[in-house]
């Protein structure tokens, strides 16, 4: 490493440490604050009041005093979900003859709902007894208060916490049960449906844009490369796996060309940063993205939304759901969108990259009893898109040199002189089904089964270089199906000090890439070349995983997890080439590569976390977690030896320290983390002379980073939110015999920023005017491991805004929105540099704007 690089690395590390110390100081300022009551995940069935209150008191570590007679004869209401103690008492006794309240010190008092006569006599005596009992409760509560933060008394059951300015609790399923985001000892981002709508998010790529420390590259919908904490998916061909796992409704999507889809009728998206594997069935070495659809309920609800925008955008979606029969609910969701292309061919005037999508999702929820439910889902999605445009990145120098003549691109990034072929398209169909069953075997033990099936097909034809000449046209057909079965057993509903989960996972997929053809220099006479590639791979994976959590004290929790994984791959390839430059595809050209091979990889990975409740609204946690990605086979080998040589598995170990807190009466949420990730045998992408990507193992990588996420309710009109990440990532070892030590890995930004401000103005008549502005940025990144400046994707700064009107009944909304208002030319991908032309470049969307009308049913 050069001295200048070392100085830069040292500066970044100092800045990381400074940021961490500053955030620790901010947390410490709020350590002793008197916060609102801690919220917990509660699952109480209807039962006699005495038992219900005792169970609740144990959960919140509070004393309890009964002032009512025959309390055991009264039946309480069920209480489920993440709630505060006050809310739990209110729900428990609603409609009963009892009321639950809290003393100033936090002790629970259960008394008759009505004491109306205060004029004297026996009722005076009752009131005297009540006063004495309350005084004893205060004395007992003072002792308990040493372990629990004081809580203001709630005089009646109707009292609710004042949350006018307080932030809503964010419920997540990162550990396979519903719990508050603030209780999870790990770094994760949550994107709500409101954010999806406000920032016009339509893909996983856009989710990563607003996730701290994350980014992506994208050549088209079938070639996505996600990056979290400086490490990319690096998946090429039919026999590779992703370092960033993608889940849709608890089902892992194993094939890259099937994991990007339209966002609509979404409940939320959870992005887990760092290695995963001890809770989710499929392993992941860098992170995990979980997209969760809105479930059907017995309540009738739905919406219709229509959007029109520039570039001929038409977007319509809707959903409707509710009870179908006793114990049966359903939901149907539909989406359609189309737009013209962002890029214009200067010769013909046609748009070369239009898009069209239709998606239908259906769900049925069966609840025959209080102890069993079955949720069935089915989705059909079809894309009919034009080809993604690749063109030269620089209009000041010729893109295409000798011997093909000089060609210089237009200076408008969304104009080019492309091939005149009209068959350059992308068509994709995805069909997926799943069944999720949950049994409460006993009041405290739950069995969960998740079965998933997916069938996908994609046809692609693309001009790889994007010039007036057909230098290289690539066509392929991907066909894949996958099946997965996950079974989990846990005791989370019991809310015991000792919690455990055990699971089994089975996954298999079959991916065929037929007729992956390369048509090279078809106009060049003796140099014209054709290459044909046919690959097939079957993956079978088995996993055994589990986790156990221990409450070592009222404030201290230790959680241990482990997973053992076995991956088997059966791969076949046939690769041939003919023509003047056939040897760059197959060497020797007269000897086609025809190979069948299988291999197996296995690994045990573990995790350990410890969390301490600094206050009722702040935790300090430490985490060690390991991840793993199986080895595989090159998707486009040029020799028989390369086809017979698999690349090795990749493993990672993450060390993380963080604080999660809610400050100033829950008006500010501030979560921070510092981490260090050590990767071994990191899988990175290299390119053959033909431009074909292959996967090889480098020595590894080291990533050090700091992350901050915050939301602040400034007043009843203004809410601010933002995130920031700072990273120092360095490769180790060699790639293709060339040292990459000290270089940044693919798609590893040094920093990312995301800021947003939401302002609500009440109007006469009860309607509201909403104003939103947001800003997203990241540093430059390399699209390759060699530190080549010609592969840099420059830093970007995106600005967006929205003005909306919400009706008094909140059932009609009209929004005018704009994205990328400064028209930043974001480089989505860079191709390999050659001697005859610059690096082929694909640009993201230009400035877009439109109007959206939404009707909530």
């Amino acid at each position: 490493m050069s001295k200048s690089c070392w100085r830069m690395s040292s500066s970044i590390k100092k800045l990381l440490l400074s940021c961490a110390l500053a955030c620790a100081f901010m947390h410490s300022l709020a350590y002793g604050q008197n916060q609102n009551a801690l919220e917990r995940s509660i699952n109480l069935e209807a039962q006699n009041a005495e038992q219900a209150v005792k169970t609740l008191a144990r959960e919140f570590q509070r004393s309890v005093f009964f002032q009512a007679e025959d309390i055991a004869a009264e039946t309480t209401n069920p209480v489920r979900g993440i709630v505060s103690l006050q809310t739990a008492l209110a729900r428990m006794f609603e409609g009963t003859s009892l009321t639950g309240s809290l003393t100033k010190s936090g002790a629970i008092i259960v008394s008759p709902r009505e004491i109306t006569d205060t004029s004297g006599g026996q009722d005076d005596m009752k009131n005297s007894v009540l006063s004495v009992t309350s005084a004893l409760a205060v004395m007992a509560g003072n002792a308990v208060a040493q372990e629990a933060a004081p809580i203001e008394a709630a005089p009646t059951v109707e009292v609710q916490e004042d949350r006018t300015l307080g932030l809503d609790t964010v419920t997540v399923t990162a550990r396979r049960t519903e719990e508050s985001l603030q209780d999870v000892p790990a770094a994760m981002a949550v994107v709500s449906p409101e954010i999806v709508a406000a920032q016009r998010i339509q893909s996983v790529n856009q989710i990563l844009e607003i996730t701290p420390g994350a980014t992506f590259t994208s050549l088209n919908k079938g070639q996505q490369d996600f990056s979290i904490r400086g490490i990319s998916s690096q998946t090429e061909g039919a026999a590779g796996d992703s370092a960033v796992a993608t889940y849709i409704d608890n089902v892992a999507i194993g094939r890259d060309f099937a994991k990007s889809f339209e966002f609509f009728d979404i409940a939320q998206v959870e992005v887990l940063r760092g290695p995963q594997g001890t809770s989710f069935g499929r392993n992941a070495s860098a992170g995990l993205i979980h997209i969760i659809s809105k479930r059907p309920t017995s309540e009738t609800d739905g919406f219709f939304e229509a959007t029109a925008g520039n570039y001929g955008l038409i977007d319509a979606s809707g959903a409707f759901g509710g009870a179908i029969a006793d114990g049966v609910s359903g939901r149907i969701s539909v989406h359609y969108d189309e737009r013209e292309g962002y890029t214009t061919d200067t010769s013909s005037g046609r748009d070369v990259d239009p898009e069209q999508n239709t998606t239908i999702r259906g769900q049925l929820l069966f609840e025959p009893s209080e102890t069993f439910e079955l949720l069935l889902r089915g989705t059909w999605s079809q894309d009919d898109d034009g080809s993604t445009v690749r063109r030269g990145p620089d209009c000041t120098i010729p893109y295409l040199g000798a011997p093909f003549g000089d060609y210089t691109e237009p200076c408008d990034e969304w104009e080019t002189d492309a091939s005149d072929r009209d068959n350059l398209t992308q068509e994709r169909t995805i069909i997926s089904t799943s069944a999720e069953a949950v049994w409460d075997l006993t009041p405290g033990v739950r069995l969960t089964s998740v079965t998933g099936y997916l069938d996908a097909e994609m046809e692609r034809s693309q001009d790889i270089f994007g010039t007036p000449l057909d230098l290289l046209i690539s066509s392929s057909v991907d066909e894949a199906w996958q099946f997965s079965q996950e079974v989990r057993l846990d005791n989370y509903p019991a809310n015991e000090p000792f919690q455990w989960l055990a699971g089994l996972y089975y996954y298999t997929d079959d991916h065929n890439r037929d007729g992956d053809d390369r048509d090279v220099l078809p106009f060049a006479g003796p140099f014209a070349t054709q290459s044909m590639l046919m690959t097939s791979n079957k993956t079978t994976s088995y996993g055994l995983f589990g986790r156990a959590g221990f409450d070592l004290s009222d404030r201290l929790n230790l959680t241990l997890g482990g997973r053992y994984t076995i991956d088997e791959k059966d791969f076949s390839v046939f690769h041939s080439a003919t023509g003047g430059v056939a040897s760059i595809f197959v060497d020797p050209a007269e000897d086609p590569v025809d190979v069948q091979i299988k291999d197996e990889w296995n690994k045990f990975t573990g995790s350990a976390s410890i969390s301490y409740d600094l206050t009722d609204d702040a935790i300090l946690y430490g985490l060690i977690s390991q991840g793993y990605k199986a080895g595989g086979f090159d998707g486009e080998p040029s020799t028989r030896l390369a086809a017979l040589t698999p690349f090795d598995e990749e493993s990672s170990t993450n060390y993380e320290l963080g604080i999660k807190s809610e400050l100033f009466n829950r008006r500010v949420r501030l979560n921070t983390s510092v981490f260090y990730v050590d990767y071994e045998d990191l899988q990175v992408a290299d390119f053959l002379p033909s431009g074909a990507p292959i996967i090889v193992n480098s020595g590894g990588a080291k990533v050090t980073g700091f992350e901050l996420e915050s939301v602040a309710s400034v007043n009843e009109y203004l809410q601010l939110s933002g995130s920031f990440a700072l990273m120092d990532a360095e490769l180790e070892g060699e790639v293709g015999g060339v040292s990459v030590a000290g270089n940044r890995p693919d798609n590893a930004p040094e920093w990312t920023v995301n800021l947003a401000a939401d302002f609500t103005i009440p109007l006469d008549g009860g309607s509201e005017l909403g104003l939103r502005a947001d800003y997203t940025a990241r540093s430059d990144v390399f699209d390759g491991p060699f530190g080549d400046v010609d592969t840099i994707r420059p830093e970007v700064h995106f600005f967006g805004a929205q003005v909306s009107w919400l009706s008094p009944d909140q059932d009609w909304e009209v929004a005018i929105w704009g994205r990328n208002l400064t028209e930043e030319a974001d480089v989505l991908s860079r191709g390999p540099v050659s001697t005859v032309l610059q690096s082929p470049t694909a640009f993201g969307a230009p400035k877009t704007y439109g109007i959206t009308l939404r009707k909530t049913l």
Side-chain angles (χ1 to χ4, degrees):
M1 185 190 303
S2 68
K3 292 182 178 180
S4 60
C5 291
W6 172 253
R7 284 194 296 268
M8 181 180 295
S9 175
S10 300
S11 298
I12 290 176
K13 290 176 180 177
K14 289 178 181 178
L15 185 54
L16 289 174
L17 180 59
S18 300
C19 291
L21 291 175
C23 288
F25 175 71
M26 294 172 64
H27 286 294
S28 68
L29 290 177
Y31 177 86
Q33 291 188 34
N34 179 16
Q35 302 292 329
N36 284 338
L38 179 69
E39 293 186 335
R40 295 185 181 275
S41 179
I42 301 297
N43 188 5
L44 288 177
E45 302 294 335
Q47 55 189 297
N48 78 73
E50 182 175 6
Q51 183 59 43
V53 174
K54 287 181 178 179
T55 301
L56 196 65
R58 284 196 302 271
E59 178 62 34
F60 284 90
Q61 291 96 42
R62 304 299 168 92
S63 300
V64 60
F65 292 88
F66 299 105
Q67 298 175 335
E69 299 176 359
D70 299 325
I71 187 172
E74 185 69 64
T75 300
T76 62
N77 302 307
V79 180
R80 298 185 180 89
I82 298 175
V83 294
S84 67
L85 178 54
Q86 293 97 321
T87 301
L89 288 170
R91 293 180 184 176
M92 179 182 294
F93 291 123
E94 184 179 3
T96 71
S97 63
L98 302 175
T99 180
S101 59
L102 300 178
T103 69
K104 190 170 184 178
S105 61
I108 302 171
I109 295 180
V110 179
S111 56
R113 177 171 293 276
E114 295 182 0
I115 302 177
T116 58
D117 186 358
T118 61
S119 60
Q122 292 183 353
D123 285 332
D124 259 351
M125 186 177 296
K126 283 186 178 181
N127 288 335
S128 298
V129 172
L130 188 149
S131 299
V132 172
T133 307
S134 298
L136 291 173
V138 170
M139 295 171 63
N142 285 336
V144 177
Q146 297 178 17
E147 295 295 326
I151 300 176
E152 293 298 324
T156 67
V157 71
E158 284 78 14
V159 168
Q160 298 284 334
E161 293 175 83
D162 183 5
R163 295 296 175 87
T164 303
L165 299 179
L167 299 170
D168 293 334
T169 298
V170 178
T171 303
V172 297
T173 58
R175 296 194 292 181
R176 315 310 278 161
T177 189
E178 291 187 352
E179 57 186 332
S180 170
L181 167 68
Q182 299 304 103
D183 293 335
V184 178
M188 62 179 298
V190 179
V191 181
S192 66
E194 291 75 20
I195 296 175
V196 169
Q199 294 205 203
R200 186 88 186 141
I201 293 174
Q202 297 180 293
S203 67
V204 178
N205 296 344
Q206 293 168 299
I207 291 291
L208 293 174
E209 283 182 343
I210 61 173
T211 299
T215 185
F216 69 94
T217 61
S218 176
L219 182 55
N220 52 57
K221 289 180 180 178
Q223 292 177 275
Q224 307 283 341
D225 188 0
F226 302 155
S227 173
I228 293 179
R229 285 187 170 174
I231 300 301
S232 297
S233 302
Q234 300 296 7
T235 309
E236 296 289 347
D241 292 321
S242 179
V244 178
T246 303
Y247 277 70
I248 301 175
D249 293 324
N250 294 304
V251 176
I253 307 301
R255 296 296 92 205
D256 272 4
F257 78 91
K259 69 184 184 184
S260 64
F261 61 97
E262 299 296 322
F263 271 47
F264 69 103
D265 204 21
I266 296 295
Q268 69 182 26
V269 182
E270 301 174 6
V271 183
L272 284 64
R273 304 191 292 273
Q276 308 296 323
T278 57
S279 294
F280 286 81
R282 196 93 169 112
N283 220 321
S285 58
L288 184 147
I289 305 166
H290 189 195
I291 299 100
I292 305 170
S293 305
K294 188 171 182 180
R295 289 165 52 104
T297 67
S298 58
E299 299 293 328
T300 300
D301 75 326
F303 74 92
F304 173 76
E305 184 176 282
T307 297
N310 62 334
Y311 293 98
L313 173 66
I314 298 176
D315 188 326
S317 60
F320 182 78
I324 298 175
D326 187 22
V328 181
S329 304
R331 188 174 186 86
I332 183 74
S333 310
V334 180
H335 172 85
Y336 174 83
D337 73 74
E338 66 174 41
R339 65 162 175 81
E340 300 167 357
Y342 294 138
T343 307
T344 302
D345 177 30
T346 56
S347 294
S348 65
R350 64 187 176 92
D351 298 324
V352 291
D353 54 350
E355 291 188 356
Q356 183 185 82
N357 171 267
T358 305
T359 303
I360 301 174
R361 182 191 307 130
Q363 302 179 79
L364 284 175
L365 175 62
F366 299 90
E367 299 175 289
S369 70
E370 293 185 354
T371 60
F372 176 79
E373 70 173 35
L374 173 64
L375 178 58
L376 303 178
R377 290 187 175 99
T379 302
W380 174 85
S381 180
Q382 186 172 69
D383 296 284
D384 187 1
D385 300 342
S387 176
T388 301
V389 175
R390 264 185 165 174
R391 48 153 283 166
D394 190 345
C395 66
T396 63
I397 58 176
Y399 176 40
L400 184 64
F404 305 108
D406 290 340
Y407 165 68
T408 302
E409 292 280 13
C411 288
D412 185 330
E413 289 85 352
W414 295 280
E415 289 184 352
T416 190
D417 191 355
S419 168
D420 60 2
R421 296 195 184 198
D422 58 5
N423 62 340
L424 302 181
T425 61
Q426 303 172 68
E427 297 178 358
R428 181 180 66 169
T429 302
I430 301 174
I431 300 173
S432 64
T433 59
S434 67
E436 183 175 346
V438 181
W439 294 270
D440 291 332
L441 301 181
T442 70
V445 178
R446 174 177 59 191
L447 178 66
T448 303
S449 169
V450 181
T451 307
Y453 176 81
L454 180 143
D455 194 309
E457 179 178 351
M458 185 168 191
E459 297 184 28
R460 288 175 286 188
S461 185
Q462 173 143 357
D463 185 343
I464 296 299
F465 296 125
T467 69
L469 302 175
D470 293 344
L471 294 180
L472 174 56
I473 304 297
S474 174
S475 303
S476 65
V477 178
D478 285 278
E479 295 179 328
W481 62 264
Q482 69 170 62
F483 173 82
S484 62
Q485 176 63 56
E486 181 176 346
V487 179
R488 301 191 305 269
L489 193 66
D490 66 71
N491 76 333
Y492 294 148
N495 288 312
E496 297 288 345
F498 171 62
Q499 294 189 333
W500 52 265
L501 174 147
L504 294 170
Y505 185 75
Y506 171 78
Y507 171 92
T508 185
D509 71 41
D510 201 333
H511 184 174
N512 299 313
R513 176 170 287 183
D514 294 331
D516 193 351
D517 301 329
R518 303 289 193 270
D519 191 2
V520 186
L521 308 177
F523 58 85
F527 294 100
T529 300
Q530 286 190 325
S531 164
M532 186 185 71
L533 175 71
M534 299 179 67
T535 60
S536 177
N537 181 75
K538 182 173 183 180
T539 298
T540 305
S541 180
Y542 308 89
L544 172 65
F545 60 97
R547 192 176 72 245
F550 310 85
D551 286 340
L552 302 179
S553 72
D554 293 341
R555 294 185 177 274
L556 187 64
N557 176 270
L558 173 67
T559 300
L560 303 175
R563 173 188 173 88
Y564 183 71
T565 306
I566 300 174
D567 288 297
E568 301 172 352
K569 295 187 179 182
D570 192 343
F571 178 71
S572 66
V573 57
F574 178 83
H575 193 191
S576 66
T578 58
V581 291
S583 60
I584 67 172
F585 291 97
V586 178
D587 187 19
E590 63 273 9
D591 185 13
V593 176
D594 189 0
V595 166
Q596 288 186 320
I597 185 174
K598 63 174 58 178
D599 209 335
E600 176 182 308
W601 298 265
N602 59 79
K603 184 78 172 180
F604 176 83
T605 52
S607 67
S609 68
I610 188 164
S611 62
Y612 180 75
D613 294 346
L614 297 173
T615 70
D616 283 349
D617 291 309
I619 69 168
L620 169 69
Y621 73 88
L623 170 67
I624 300 175
S625 58
Q626 295 178 313
Y628 152 83
K629 181 170 72 164
F633 305 95
D634 282 328
E636 198 167 339
S638 59
T639 66
R640 178 177 175 82
L641 177 61
L644 291 171
T645 305
F647 51 86
D648 294 331
E649 72 271 15
E650 168 184 303
S651 60
S652 58
T653 303
N654 174 60
Y655 305 89
E656 184 175 321
L657 182 67
I659 298 178
K660 293 189 170 184
S661 63
E662 290 179 332
L663 314 174
F664 310 113
N665 204 27
R666 294 197 64 189
R667 290 174 60 175
V668 175
R669 180 176 297 131
L670 182 63
N671 296 341
T672 58
S673 59
V674 292
F675 64 88
Y676 170 75
V677 191
D678 184 4
Y679 284 86
E680 296 183 2
D681 297 318
L682 182 69
Q683 296 173 12
V684 299
D686 193 9
F687 289 94
L688 297 175
S690 64
I694 61 171
I695 299 297
V696 298
N697 295 98
S698 74
K702 305 284 192 277
V703 186
T704 305
F706 166 78
E707 299 161 335
L708 180 148
E709 297 167 276
S710 184
V711 182
S713 180
V714 179
N715 54 42
E716 58 185 307
Y717 308 111
L718 178 62
Q719 180 168 292
L720 304 176
S721 60
S723 67
F724 172 73
L726 189 63
M727 290 191 303
D728 180 21
E730 294 184 354
L731 290 168
E732 298 178 329
E734 298 181 348
V735 172
V738 177
S739 174
V740 295
N743 292 347
R744 266 193 283 160
D746 281 16
N747 304 313
E750 292 184 328
W751 54 265
T752 65
V753 176
N754 178 54
L755 303 173
D758 290 276
F759 192 65
T760 303
I761 304 173
L763 302 177
D764 292 340
S767 62
E768 294 179 353
L769 181 67
L771 305 175
R772 178 184 173 88
D774 54 73
Y775 166 73
T776 301
R778 62 154 174 80
S779 71
D780 60 17
V781 295
F782 288 94
D783 201 346
F786 300 106
D788 188 343
V789 294
D790 290 328
T791 65
I792 285 180
R793 297 169 53 211
E795 70 177 61
V796 290
H797 302 264
F798 295 124
F799 294 89
Q802 177 175 285
V803 179
S804 62
W805 175 84
L806 187 63
S807 68
D809 294 332
Q810 297 190 342
D811 57 344
W812 284 99
E813 183 176 14
V814 180
I816 300 173
W817 52 267
R819 311 304 308 159
N820 192 12
L821 296 177
T822 56
E823 202 146 64
E824 189 94 354
D826 182 21
V827 175
L828 295 186
S829 73
R830 300 291 296 266
V833 179
S834 72
T835 57
V836 296
L837 77 171
Q838 303 172 47
S839 173
T841 301
F843 290 98
K847 175 171 60 181
T848 57
Y849 51 85
I851 183 170
T852 298
L853 173 67
R854 182 183 178 92
K855 166 64 175 175
T856 302
L857 305 179

